[in-house]
Amino acid sequence: MKKFLSFIFSAMLVVAMTACGDSSDDKSSSTPTGNGGSGGNGGSGGTGGTGGTTELTFDTATKVKDAVKVTLKVDKDDKKPVEFYMIYVKNNDDDVKFPCVGIKKTNGTPAKDATYTKTIGYKFFVAETEVTNAMVAKVLNWALKNGKITKDSISGSVLNYRGVPLLVVGTNNKVTLEKNSSDEVTGFGVERGFEKFGAANIHWYGAVMLSNWITEMVDGNADNIAYSGIPETGTWNGTDTVDNQDKTGFRITRLSEWQYAARFEGTTKPAGDFGDACWTNEKEINNGSDDVELDLTPGYYWLPSNYISGCKKAFNSSDKTTFDNFGIFSSSGPGEVASKEANFLGIYDMSGNVYEWCSDLGYVQGVANPGDENTMGYRHRMGGCYQFPAMMFGEVGTEGSQHPTTNNFHGFRFAKTVK
C-alpha cells in the first residue's frame, strides 16, 4: 500500500511541476510553447497552449529583450512550420544618440571606420539569429506557390527576379532545388543537417525580396511590405529601392539598428573593468589621432568599437577566448546559428558566421561618405564572416560595403519597426 501511495504522490508532483513550468529560461517564460497564429501589422501572435498563457506578440511585448515567435507556413495545411524569434531591442520612442561606425573625410581623404553617432527615435525588433537555410527555403516555397517566382526564374544555380540575382541555390548552396522526374523544379529544400545554419550566398536584392515576401506570408497581405520602388516588369535598379519607414513589415536591418543591437550593454553600468571600458556620454574616445567626445545620450552603455559583439574583453588576435566563444571565424563554411554565446540583448552571431547586409546605401572607397548616395548602389554589410579571421571585419567598429549583386559569404537578419 505504501508503494502505491508513493507512486500516486510522485505522479501528482510531476503533473504539478509540468503545469507550473520552468521559469529559469527567460525566453521560454515570456514566450511559452504554443501555436502562434498570423497577427496583424506584420506580427506572429496567438494564444499559447501551455497552461493557458498568452504568447507575446509584437503588440503585447513591452520590455527590452522580450522575444516574439514568428511562425512560417507555406499554407494553413503546412505540417512542418519554421519558427524564429524577434528580440525587442528598443522599446520606446525616445531619441537615443549612440556610437556608430562609418566613413569620415579628413582633409578630403576618406578615413575608414571612424566613429560618429546616430540617433534612433522609434521602437524596433531585430531577429535573434541570422536568416537560416530553413527560413529561406520556406519563404521561397511560399513565393513559388503564390506566383512570385516560377521555375523559369532559376538560371543554373541562380534565382533571378526582375533582371537581378536574388541568391544562389542548388549545388553551390545548402538551399537546394527539388525536382520531379521530368527535371522540373517543384520546390526548395535544404541539405539534411544544415537547416539551422546561417544562409549564405544571398545578394542584397534577395534580402529585400525575402523581407517583402515574409511580410506578406505572415500578414496574409502586402499592406505593410517595407520596400517599394521594385518594378513590375523590366530591370530592377537597386538605387530606386525605397525603405518605407512608416511600414511595419519585416526588412533588413539598417546600419544604425545593427550598430545599436550589436553594441547596446544596458542602462546600468556593467560591473568591473568592462563597465569602465564601455562608452558613455562621459567618455572621450580615440578617433584616429584625436580624442573625441561623442555627446551620447546619458544613461546608456555601449560596446567599444574594438570588441566582438557579446564579448566583454577588447579583441586580441592572440587570445582566442576574446572571439571564439562569440562568433564563427576562420571556418570552411557558415555554422549553425546560436551555437555561440549571445550578446547582452540575447542576439546571436552579430560578429562572425555570415556577413550581414544592411538596407542603407554604403560607400565606394574614396568616393562617398556614410549616407551619401552612390550611383553604384553599394550597400553596407556588417559583422565579418566565417571565411576570415575575426580581426578582419569581426569587431563591431569595422564597417564594409559591397555591390548589391555580391553574394559570397553574405546573409542577413530581419528587423521590424513597431508603432
Side-chain angles (χ1 to χ4, degrees):
M1 184 66 177
K2 284 184 178 180
K3 289 183 178 179
F4 176 75
L5 290 174
S6 176
F7 170 78
I8 294 296
F9 176 77
S10 298
M12 291 173 66
L13 181 59
V14 169
V15 171
M17 291 175 67
T18 303
C20 291
D22 180 2
S23 61
S24 62
D25 185 337
D26 287 342
K27 185 168 71 175
S28 295
S29 62
S30 62
T31 58
T33 303
N35 293 322
S38 175
N41 226 17
S44 171
T47 301
T50 300
T53 305
T54 301
E55 193 169 69
L56 285 177
T57 70
F58 291 112
D59 293 327
T60 60
T62 59
K63 299 178 296 184
V64 169
K65 300 186 183 182
D66 272 351
V68 175
K69 183 170 71 176
V70 179
T71 302
L72 302 180
K73 291 185 175 184
V74 173
D75 54 40
K76 62 182 179 61
D77 297 321
D78 190 343
K79 303 300 184 184
K80 296 182 179 180
V82 172
E83 297 173 344
F84 67 97
Y85 285 89
M86 298 289 289
I87 305 298
Y88 214 166
V89 173
K90 187 174 182 295
N91 68 337
N92 60 61
D93 294 320
D94 299 338
D95 285 344
V96 176
K97 189 176 182 181
F98 60 97
C100 189
V101 73
I103 305 299
K104 282 189 174 181
K105 279 187 177 179
T106 304
N107 298 323
T109 302
K112 192 174 186 298
D113 300 333
T115 299
Y116 63 116
T117 59
K118 285 282 191 179
T119 299
I120 293 180
Y122 55 87
K123 296 177 283 190
F124 70 98
F125 285 76
V126 166
E128 178 187 46
T129 69
E130 295 160 335
V131 169
T132 64
N133 293 317
M135 291 163 64
V136 170
K138 187 65 70 173
V139 177
L140 292 181
N141 280 323
W142 176 90
L144 184 64
K145 180 171 182 176
N146 287 274
K148 307 294 182 181
I149 55 176
T150 69
K151 61 182 181 180
D152 296 326
S153 303
I154 301 165
S155 176
S157 61
V158 179
L159 175 63
N160 297 288
Y161 185 82
R162 303 295 186 260
V164 296
L166 298 187
L167 52 92
V168 177
V169 295
T171 56
N172 293 326
N173 202 356
K174 303 305 180 183
V175 176
T176 59
L177 295 174
E178 296 178 343
K179 297 182 179 182
N180 60 20
S181 57
S182 301
D183 203 36
E184 294 176 325
V185 175
T186 58
F188 299 87
V190 180
E191 188 175 329
R192 186 178 296 276
F194 291 92
E195 291 84 357
K196 294 183 179 180
F197 279 49
N201 290 15
I202 299 177
H203 302 272
W204 181 84
Y205 295 106
V208 169
M209 291 315 304
L210 288 168
S211 297
N212 276 1
W213 289 336
I214 195 177
T215 299
E216 189 172 350
M217 183 180 183
V218 172
D219 284 6
N221 60 68
D223 295 345
N224 264 314
I225 59 173
Y227 298 105
S228 60
I230 303 164
E232 291 296 324
T233 59
T235 301
W236 180 3
N237 182 344
T239 56
D240 293 334
T241 309
V242 178
D243 178 354
N244 294 287
Q245 305 212 6
D246 61 328
K247 298 293 187 180
T248 57
F250 294 92
R251 51 182 175 73
I252 316 169
T253 52
R254 298 164 185 148
L255 174 64
S256 57
E257 295 167 344
W258 194 98
Q259 288 276 289
Y260 193 113
R263 290 177 180 257
F264 183 58
E265 290 292 333
T267 55
T268 300
K269 184 178 179 179
D273 293 341
F274 175 64
D276 293 333
C278 284
W279 287 358
T280 69
N281 65 306
E282 300 173 349
K283 184 180 288 291
E284 288 188 345
I285 67 157
N286 186 271
N287 199 30
S289 59
D290 302 318
D291 287 336
V292 177
E293 287 188 14
L294 294 179
D295 190 28
L296 307 176
T297 299
Y300 289 78
Y301 295 85
W302 306 98
L303 200 67
S305 287
N306 60 332
Y307 281 60
I308 300 296
S309 185
C311 190
K312 300 193 183 303
K313 292 194 296 183
F315 175 74
N316 181 341
S317 60
S318 64
D319 178 8
K320 289 174 69 66
T321 62
T322 61
F323 59 87
D324 263 6
N325 292 338
F326 299 92
I328 297 171
F329 298 100
S330 300
S331 175
S332 60
E336 184 172 333
V337 299
S339 60
K340 300 290 185 174
E341 294 184 37
N343 69 8
F344 173 81
L345 288 164
I347 298 173
Y348 296 88
D349 303 308
M350 294 295 286
S351 294
N353 210 15
V354 296
Y355 283 124
E356 296 185 20
W357 285 115
C358 295
S359 63
D360 325 51
L361 282 165
Y363 68 93
V364 179
Q365 186 67 39
V367 175
N369 280 331
D372 287 354
E373 292 189 2
N374 61 77
T375 56
M376 298 177 71
Y378 276 52
R379 300 286 171 169
H380 291 292
R381 58 112 187 262
M382 295 300 298
C385 79
Y386 65 87
Q387 179 74 14
F388 302 110
M391 62 185 297
M392 296 178 66
F393 312 115
E395 299 161 300
V396 295
T398 303
E399 190 268 359
S401 291
Q402 277 291 347
H403 194 273
T405 57
T406 300
N407 69 72
N408 288 345
F409 325 124
H410 284 66
F412 72 107
R413 73 176 70 227
F414 290 116
K416 179 175 171 39
T417 307
V418 289
K419 300 298 185 182

